[in-house]
Amino acid sequence: MSSLFRHIPSVDRFLHELEQDQSLAGLPRPLLKDLVGEFLDLCREEIRSGAIAAESDLTLPALCSRARAYVRFASRPHFRRVLNATGVVIHTNLGRSILADEAVQAVTLGCRHYSNLELALETGQRGSRYSHVEKLLCSLTGAEAGLVVNNNAAAVLLVLDTLAKGREVVVSRGQLVEIGGSFRIPEVMRKSGAVLREVGATNRTHLRDYEEAIGDETAMLMKVHTSNYRIIGFHKEVDAADLATLGRERGLPVFEDLGSGNLFDFSPYGFMPEPTVQQVLKCGVDVVSFSGDKLLGGPQAGIIVGRKEYIDRIKKNQLNRALRIDKMTLAALEATLRLYLDPELARRKVPTLAMITAGREELLARARRLRRRLSKDMAGLATVGVKPGFSRVGGGSFPEQDLPTSLVTVAPAAMDVEALRQGLLATDIPVIGRVEDGRFCLDPRTLMDEEFPLVAAAVRSVLVADAD
Ligand SMILES: *Cc1c(COP(=O)(O)O)cnc(C)c1O
């Protein structure tokens, strides 16, 4: 075995060979050298394991095409496009919401050219970056004022730090939630320097629990939207309106972390009632925060709206400077919010809304189209079908809501279905789907029609590679 190691061609010989390859042209030489080094480490590994056992397997011609494939694979950008066939619309692992074309164009424009990011064109003087979206946020939600920060976690931190640092915030025990990615209300509270005053029991909290907890140290009453789970059965939460009335009587601000925070009313589409941001503010809640990239369908951002006296204090907090959003986010957010001025336009153009509200017949027709695409050139490799199934909203929104859909199923003739799923993670544009009842399932809800040929090519390439 040890003599085999000596037969591995040198890095320089590989470099000389691969540098002739047009398809690898443009790769910086240091990167190419590193990747060849990694490839040769793999060869050494294979000698040790016995996978390479003959001198003839170690010649330059024998290894070159594998080396080329390895370099091509490993030199791809790390951050890549994928095809979301999971049917989970707001998929945190896959980038949550995708943007409307209008938002993408606004981002491109804002990045390619200089802009009036912090310039008031009326006066030629320094302006505020928040001015681009504040008026829109107010007219859409009915709020007096608003601002935007990096994400909703930052928004919650900033509100607590501004309005309750060193003092108590009263929260129902049933609302001390953890959101995926380790955002926990008690921990954020601690970081902000506010003191958590839990009230009620896990399943039930009454208005009198809040009343009894209010004292000299109380700074704020807080409600957290338990977006990602539901308590069913013997259960009670205090309404936003009742909490707002109590806050007003005692001279305390009331803050609600709405999580997803939709501006769009989904109830006509058969969804369980979820309050919109407008409705919550109308109840009298003073400050509301929510995400930009969950149900809103915009860029990652944390939006804070509410009464001017509180928003003004939040804007002046130094922490704000550390949590501020960049111009790409602002451009995307303004373009997304503008679509909401006409809710039906938003429903059609904001992909998150369009996917969530897609109708059953439409999904069935699209599933059939995807099946036809997949069935082409698939003879002998797999059986393709359509079956009823369910999609999910995701992002902790509408956690119990099953959205009826039609799934396209791929049952490989010879290949293990789990190997197919894995193989699809390694294609040029990876396809993310799930395995159910021994079949690979693709949900057309979260795929664009233009993506169907890409899905078909990827599935076919994995099946063909396995058959070879
Ligand atoms: C998602 C969520 C957050 C965190 O929002 P990000 O925009 O992901 O930072 C905070 N609170 C609630 C209730 C949420 O659902």
Side-chain angles (χ1 to χ4, degrees):
M1 186 205 287
S2 59
S3 73
L4 281 177
F5 288 112
R6 271 182 280 118
H7 287 92
I8 298 175
S10 71
V11 172
D12 284 338
R13 288 183 62 204
F14 275 105
L15 282 179
H16 181 77
E17 196 67 30
L18 295 180
E19 274 170 346
Q20 318 294 321
D21 190 325
Q22 280 305 316
S23 72
L24 299 178
L27 268 195
R29 196 181 154 97
L31 176 62
L32 188 59
K33 200 168 165 184
D34 281 351
L35 295 177
V36 168
E38 282 174 24
F39 174 72
L40 295 182
D41 285 343
L42 278 180
C43 294
R44 288 187 195 97
E45 205 49 54
E46 289 183 9
I47 293 173
R48 263 178 235 117
S49 73
I52 293 180
E55 227 177 276
S56 59
D57 292 338
L58 286 170
T59 61
L60 195 61
L63 287 176
C64 226
S65 75
R66 272 187 68 198
R68 197 174 289 123
Y70 180 84
V71 168
R72 223 176 270 148
F73 184 84
S75 63
R76 298 183 298 184
H78 197 272
F79 182 85
R80 295 188 7 242
R81 170 186 185 178
V82 305
L83 297 161
N84 177 7
T86 64
V88 181
V89 179
I90 308 170
H91 198 309
T92 298
N93 300 154
L94 306 185
R96 285 201 184 158
S97 286
I98 56 173
L99 296 175
D101 286 342
E102 286 76 0
V104 173
Q105 279 160 23
V107 173
T108 308
L109 204 71
C111 297
R112 190 171 279 159
H113 309 284
Y114 289 106
S115 61
N116 62 338
L117 180 64
E118 291 191 356
L119 179 74
L121 291 171
E122 306 77 36
T123 60
Q125 306 289 311
R126 178 166 187 159
S128 153
R129 64 175 60 212
Y130 303 112
S131 62
H132 304 287
V133 290
E134 185 167 13
K135 238 179 98 187
L136 262 173
L137 282 172
C138 292
S139 64
L140 289 168
T141 65
E144 291 172 4
L147 80 156
V148 183
V149 291
N150 183 57
N151 57 10
N152 189 34
V156 173
L157 179 71
L158 185 63
V159 172
L160 290 170
D161 184 273
T162 311
L163 301 178
K165 198 186 190 100
R167 299 179 60 209
E168 286 184 0
V169 178
V170 187
V171 190
S172 159
R173 194 161 274 138
Q175 297 172 0
L176 299 177
V177 298
E178 174 179 306
I179 316 295
S182 74
F183 172 92
R184 284 172 159 189
I185 292 294
E187 258 113 281
V188 175
M189 191 85 71
R190 204 167 307 132
K191 279 279 178 217
S192 74
V195 179
L196 172 64
R197 180 72 196 263
E198 312 175 32
V199 293
T202 306
N203 56 335
R204 286 170 74 84
T205 303
H206 306 269
L207 192 62
R208 63 167 188 275
D209 294 322
Y210 289 92
E211 283 169 346
E212 284 162 11
I214 296 175
D216 292 343
E217 283 309 302
T218 311
M220 187 160 79
L221 308 180
M222 180 178 178
K223 194 168 156 59
V224 182
H225 191 63
T226 53
S227 7
N228 56 0
Y229 78 103
R230 286 276 185 280
I231 297 179
I232 51 169
F234 191 55
H235 156 65
K236 178 176 163 57
E237 263 186 42
V238 174
D239 281 348
D242 293 338
L243 206 59
T245 306
L246 178 62
R248 219 165 27 250
E249 283 167 9
R250 303 294 183 93
L252 294 169
V254 176
F255 165 45
E256 179 157 3
D257 169 11
L258 257 185
S260 256
N262 41 314
L263 299 179
F264 185 83
D265 183 5
F266 288 94
S267 53
Y269 294 88
F271 284 75
M272 52 188 73
E274 279 277 356
T276 60
V277 176
Q278 314 64 307
Q279 286 163 351
V280 172
L281 287 169
K282 215 166 173 187
C283 286
V285 172
D286 299 294
V287 178
V288 170
S289 78
F290 57 100
S291 286
D293 56 354
K294 289 186 182 169
L295 282 174
L296 187 75
Q300 178 192 306
I303 301 169
I304 309 172
V305 288
R307 280 195 216 294
K308 190 165 184 307
E309 58 169 308
Y310 300 121
I311 300 293
D312 281 348
R313 283 170 60 194
I314 295 167
K315 281 180 182 166
K316 290 199 194 97
N317 188 332
Q318 280 296 311
L319 195 52
N320 204 357
R321 179 64 178 76
L323 305 176
R324 79 178 188 187
I325 56 172
D326 75 315
K327 61 184 178 184
M328 292 189 262
T329 306
L330 261 176
L333 188 62
E334 185 189 12
T336 306
L337 291 173
R338 282 168 71 107
L339 293 171
Y340 274 91
L341 292 170
D342 175 352
E344 180 49 28
L345 189 70
R347 194 196 66 77
R348 279 188 286 114
K349 296 222 162 177
V350 176
T352 300
L353 298 187
M355 288 175 187
I356 292 172
T357 60
R360 271 185 203 219
E361 287 83 52
E362 178 194 339
L363 288 165
L364 177 59
R366 297 185 63 228
R368 288 184 173 143
R369 228 174 299 147
L370 178 57
R371 177 184 57 188
R372 270 199 302 279
R373 254 291 167 185
L374 277 160
S375 303
K376 272 189 201 160
D377 321 314
M378 203 63 96
L381 289 170
T383 315
V384 185
V386 170
K387 71 163 190 176
F390 293 102
S391 330
R392 287 268 171 185
V393 175
S397 318
F398 296 107
E400 287 170 289
Q401 189 99 35
D402 284 327
L403 310 180
T405 191
S406 295
L407 300 172
V408 177
T409 61
V410 179
M415 191 178 188
D416 173 52
V417 70
E418 189 52 33
L420 171 63
R421 190 186 68 78
Q422 296 268 347
L424 285 168
L425 296 175
T427 48
D428 273 340
I429 306 179
V431 181
I432 321 294
R434 62 188 135 133
V435 172
E436 260 178 38
D437 304 331
R439 287 176 288 177
F440 186 74
C441 297
L442 303 121
D443 191 332
R445 186 188 296 272
T446 46
L447 291 166
M448 304 282 169
D449 283 5
E450 313 86 89
E451 294 179 326
F452 289 179
L454 299 173
V455 172
V459 172
R460 191 179 142 72
S461 75
V462 174
L463 291 168
V464 168
D466 180 72
D468 280 350

